[in-house]
Amino acid sequence: MSPTLTSFHYGTPGSGKKVYIQGALHADEVPGMLVAQFLRTEFEALEAAGKIRGEIVLVPAANPIGLAQAIQGAPFGRFDLTTGINFNRAYKHVAEDLKKSLSGLLTDSAEANVALVRAHARDSVAAWVPSTDADTLKKTLLGLAIDADIVLDLHCDNEAVLHIYAGTPLAEAAAPLSAYLGAHALLLALEAGEEPFDEACSRLWWDLAAHFGPAFPLPPACMSVTVELRGEMDVAYDYARNDARALINYLTHVGVLDGTPDPMPAPLCAATPLEGVEPIAAPHAGVLVFLKALGDKVAAGDAIADLIDPVSGATTTLHTKVAGVFFARTAHRHLLRGMQVGKIAGPVAFRAGKLLSQ
Ligand SMILES: [Zn+2]
């Protein structure tokens, strides 16, 4: 039986901004699917009250292929079992097509350029010929989102405090979302590498602006982010209700929903570069005992965790190199050599290359 993907549509296309929200692209990252249940209830009520100015597309379970995967009793939703490819990598970067197809068509009108880019981006996605079922899914999702003004891709980490990934040109636009959600890190990159979904929707804008130059104004017209809704086990009504409330406040703040948003809370963090994130890996196998809690602000050199050889008792204390926020960590408590221990968001860029974990 072929997997079925379901999208819910609210509001009226063309009547305002387009918003695209999906949950659980990595199918075993469940918090976003629960947030979507609250959002669906809210959007139905707002639509019935005529309060949606624009269009909202909600995909509560974005990965029916991954949702059907399990290995020996454990849900397995991050990679396609048939190819080993991450479900949040290898999206088509339509800018390459558009550099050719838009040649000679852009003008000095940003508004006209934005409309033109969106039309050509839709065509470019439509021309993508998938070679696997996972690619067909990716094409379908990207086709729903590529012409949106706002894209919210709801994921989670292993164990984490809430954090957000966005393109560097979106720093200002993402700040209100970060404040409403109470994010502990807002991580920015021009290009994170390996074409994740959020970037497939956003990076074309600054790539095309750089390619065509300042005579043809092109704003970063898609506020696309990956929201990491804490950790895999943080599936709770209180979290989901509050996260949905934060997203509704943000959408009201940007004028997609009629009404007055709750006052914006003070942000918990300033934006920092994704190149400033320090990933700490296990130097040898051992029992992992954390010495810092998620959300802790750490100084350079602080002890984060002990790694204990269970036979000899030899203990290695793992220290940070950067100062910053301890925002994500493994859910395992015995690691093999090279496995990830956790991540600290520092304010100074020092890494390059592929910036996302596998
Ligand atoms: Zn994910």
Side-chain angles (χ1 to χ4, degrees), residues 25-26 29 78 88 154-157 226 228:
L25 179 57
H26 288 137
E29 297 176 358
R78 187 172 183 81
N88 193 24
L154 307 179
H155 289 242
C156 71
D157 213 304
T226 292
E228 303 283 349

Side-chain angles (χ1 to χ4, degrees), residues 6 10-11 69 77 90 94 118 135 142 147 153 158 184 187 190-191 199 226 241-242 271 281-282 285 299 302 333 356:
T6 302
Y10 307 93
Q69 294 184 163
V94 301
R118 289 194 172 134
D135 276 355
L142 192 58
D147 57 356
D153 192 8
N158 294 151
H184 290 252
L187 303 166
L190 274 176
E191 182 176 355
E199 224 179 80
T226 292
R241 190 183 296 112
N242 289 337
D302 273 1
R333 293 299 181 266
L356 300 174

Side-chain angles (χ1 to χ4, degrees), residues 2-341:
S2 295
T4 301
L5 181 77
T6 302
S7 58
F8 295 83
H9 297 250
Y10 307 93
T12 307
S15 64
K17 289 191 168 109
K18 176 177 175 180
V19 178
Y20 175 82
I21 304 171
Q22 69 181 14
L25 179 57
H26 288 137
D28 51 2
E29 297 176 358
V30 179
M33 291 193 281
L34 189 60
V35 170
Q37 304 314 306
F38 286 91
L39 288 177
R40 183 165 51 192
T41 305
E42 293 274 352
F43 290 153
E44 280 169 9
L46 288 160
E47 180 164 60
K51 289 186 170 178
I52 298 179
R53 295 186 221 159
E55 177 188 13
I56 299 172
V57 180
L58 176 66
V59 179
N63 185 353
I65 298 173
L67 265 185
Q69 294 184 163
I71 299 177
Q72 295 186 343
F76 186 85
R78 187 172 183 81
F79 304 93
D80 177 10
L81 270 177
T82 57
T83 62
I85 296 173
N86 189 315
F87 283 111
N88 193 24
R89 302 289 185 273
Y91 284 81
K92 181 176 184 181
H93 185 51
V94 301
E96 297 314 315
D97 282 354
L98 270 59
K99 284 174 188 174
K100 298 187 199 91
S101 69
L102 288 169
S103 180
L105 299 180
L106 298 176
T107 65
D108 61 359
S109 162
E111 198 184 352
N113 291 342
V114 167
L116 204 53
V117 166
R118 289 194 172 134
H120 283 235
R122 283 191 290 267
D123 290 346
S124 174
V125 175
W128 182 2
V129 180
S131 54
T132 64
D133 289 350
D135 276 355
T136 299
L137 172 66
K138 291 175 186 180
K139 175 183 173 176
T140 306
L141 297 172
L142 192 58
L144 287 166
I146 193 69
D147 57 356
D149 298 89
I150 295 168
V151 170
L152 306 174
D153 192 8
L154 307 179
H155 289 242
C156 71
D157 213 304
N158 294 151
E159 291 184 354
V161 284
L162 196 148
H163 58 283
I164 297 173
Y165 295 93
T168 308
L170 301 173
E172 205 176 312
L177 177 69
S178 179
Y180 274 120
L181 280 168
H184 290 252
L186 170 56
L187 303 166
L188 305 178
L190 274 176
E191 182 176 355
E194 301 178 275
E195 312 297 352
F197 182 84
D198 71 331
E199 224 179 80
C201 299
S202 62
R203 185 160 59 90
L204 69 138
W205 292 99
W206 48 94
D207 275 7
L208 292 173
H211 176 78
F212 287 106
F216 307 103
L218 278 170
C222 182
M223 210 302 289
S224 176
V225 296
T226 292
V227 179
E228 303 283 349
L229 296 169
R230 306 175 195 83
E232 290 163 8
M233 304 303 283
D234 294 326
V235 180
Y237 283 132
D238 280 352
Y239 280 142
R241 190 183 296 112
N242 289 337
D243 292 341
R245 184 75 227 151
L247 296 179
I248 296 289
N249 274 320
Y250 168 72
L251 294 177
T252 310
H253 171 79
V254 296
V256 174
L257 303 175
D258 266 339
T260 308
D262 296 335
M264 196 183 301
L268 299 183
C269 66
T272 52
L274 185 53
E275 295 94 331
V277 170
E278 181 189 6
I280 297 179
H284 58 77
V287 174
L288 181 66
V289 181
F290 282 107
L291 305 173
K292 292 288 185 189
L294 286 166
D296 279 357
K297 298 218 166 68
V298 300
D302 273 1
I304 291 291
D306 281 343
L307 200 55
I308 305 157
D309 182 313
V311 178
S312 71
T315 299
T316 305
T317 299
L318 306 177
H319 302 268
T320 66
K321 290 194 182 67
V322 306
V325 180
F326 182 36
F327 71 94
R329 68 188 195 188
T330 179
H332 301 297
R333 293 299 181 266
H334 177 269
L335 300 187
L336 304 181
R337 181 182 173 199
M339 282 183 171
Q340 288 298 313
V341 173

